[in-house]
Amino acid sequence: MCIRDSINAEYGEARRWWMAQDPAKLAERAVRFYGGFQPKALNRSINARTEVVGSCQDLEKEYFRLTSDPDPALVRPPPVLRRSLKHVLRRWADGVTYLWCSSQLKAIRQDLVVQRVEDELAVDVYETNARLAIHEGDAAEYNQCQSVLKDLFAKMPDVGHPQEFAAYELLWQLSVNSSTDIIKCIKHISAGGVRMIAHPLVKHALNVASAINTDNYARFFKLYRKASSFEVSAALMSQLLPKVRKKALSRIGAAYRPGVPVGLIQEQLVFGTEEDCVTFLEEEGQKVQDSQVLLGGCLLYTSPSPRDS
C-alpha cells in the first residue's frame, strides 16, 4: 500500500469513528480540550448570551479585541456612546490622527455590538466610520462598515442615508475594478426605485460608471470637477484618477498632431499645476526637455517660461 492510500485509509477510519459518536459527548470532549472555551460550532448558546447593559461613562476608550465575555463596567451605554461619537468628531476636526479616531470608533462599534444596539445611533456610527475610512483610503474599515450598513438599511430603510452609501459603494467598486460587484451595485440601485436613482449622489455615481465604461475621459473629468461639492465622492474619484489619466493620455497622443500645449493636457486631465502635469508625463516615460515633450510621436509644448517671453 502506498503512502497516499495509507493516509486515506486512516482518515476514513477516523471519520467513521467521529460520525458514530454522540454529539453531546463530542461537545464535552471539546470543552475539556479547549480548557473551558467552547467553539461556536459546538455551542449554539454563544449567540444567546445575556444582553450586556453597560455602565462605563468614559468618552474615550481604546479598542481591544474581546477574548472573553464583556465586562458591563467597561461597556458604555448608548447615551454615552452618542456623546463619545460627537467627541471623536470634534477631535478629528481639531486635527487628531486617523489612527486614534479609528480606534475610538471601533471601540464604539464594539460597545454597540455587545449591547445589541441596532438603531439610529448604530447607523450614525457606522456611516461616520465609513466616511472617515474613505477619506483615508482604509479599505478594511470601509468594507466592515459598509457590510454592517447594508444589514442595518435592510432592517431600517428609513434610517440613515442608504442612497448616499449606495453611491459610495458603486464608486468604491469602480476604484477596485470589480466587475461582478459593480453589476451588483447597479442592480441594487435599480431595485431601489425612483427614490434611489433620483438622488444626486447616486445619479453622479451612475454617470461616473457610464463614463468609465465608455472610456469617455472628458465626461469623467467634468464629473470629477462637479464632485468637489460631494466631498466623499471626490475622495473616491481621486482613487480613479491615475487609471483614467493614463487612458486619456494615450487618447490625446493619438488625436493631437503635430503638437499640443501641455497646458491643454493640464486642463483636460485636471492637474492643479503645470509642474504636476509635467511630473505625471515624466512618470509615464515621456521625455520633457526645455519646453517640449514627445508623447507617442506627438510633440507637446509646455508654456513658455517668463525668461523666454
Side-chain angles (χ1 to χ4, degrees), residues 117-305:
V117 177
E118 294 184 347
D119 58 7
E120 186 176 353
L121 172 61
V123 172
D124 194 11
V125 169
Y126 280 95
E127 286 185 343
T128 300
N129 202 161
R131 292 187 187 102
L132 290 185
I134 290 172
H135 270 291
E136 299 298 319
D138 190 341
E141 287 304 309
Y142 167 77
N143 286 326
Q144 288 182 19
C145 293
Q146 182 68 276
S147 177
V148 175
L149 282 171
K150 289 178 182 178
D151 292 335
L152 292 174
F153 290 148
K155 295 175 182 178
M156 301 175 290
D158 296 326
V159 175
H161 306 85
Q163 296 85 7
E164 174 187 349
F165 281 87
Y168 295 161
E169 179 67 1
L170 177 55
L171 292 175
W172 183 274
Q173 297 304 335
L174 286 169
S175 70
V176 299
N177 198 26
S178 175
S179 300
T180 301
D181 290 326
I182 290 171
I183 293 173
K184 288 181 179 178
C185 289
I186 294 176
K187 287 183 177 179
H188 170 70
I189 289 172
S190 299
V194 176
R195 182 182 178 187
M196 174 72 76
I197 298 174
H199 192 279
L201 283 171
V202 175
K203 290 173 65 176
H204 178 266
L206 288 172
N207 287 332
V208 172
S210 176
I212 291 177
N213 186 52
T214 57
D215 286 331
N216 189 338
Y217 74 85
R219 186 184 185 194
F220 173 87
F221 287 112
K222 183 177 180 181
L223 291 166
Y224 178 67
R225 293 186 182 93
K226 186 177 180 181
S228 60
S229 59
F230 306 136
E231 186 177 359
V232 181
S233 293
L236 285 168
M237 288 191 71
S238 295
Q239 299 179 26
L240 292 164
L241 279 179
K243 178 177 68 175
V244 178
R245 278 173 171 164
K246 288 181 181 180
K247 287 187 176 181
L249 186 61
S250 65
R251 294 287 186 88
I252 292 174
Y256 288 91
R257 295 178 185 277
V260 60
V262 170
L264 180 61
I265 297 180
Q266 175 190 344
E267 179 184 356
Q268 291 197 359
L269 304 193
V270 195
F271 282 101
T273 64
E274 187 173 289
E275 288 74 18
D276 290 339
C277 183
V278 171
T279 299
F280 165 75
L281 292 170
E282 291 176 339
E283 289 176 349
E284 291 303 306
Q286 311 306 322
K287 291 183 178 180
V288 180
Q289 293 180 345
D290 297 329
S291 59
Q292 304 176 8
V293 59
L294 187 65
L295 173 65
C298 175
L299 192 62
L300 305 180
Y301 300 94
T302 61
S303 302
S305 61

Side-chain angles (χ1 to χ4, degrees), residues 101-119:
C101 288
S102 178
S103 177
Q104 295 294 318
L105 289 170
K106 287 176 72 174
I108 293 175
R109 285 159 43 194
Q110 185 181 71
D111 286 350
L112 289 170
V113 170
V114 299
Q115 295 177 100
R116 300 184 184 178
V117 177
E118 294 184 347
D119 58 7

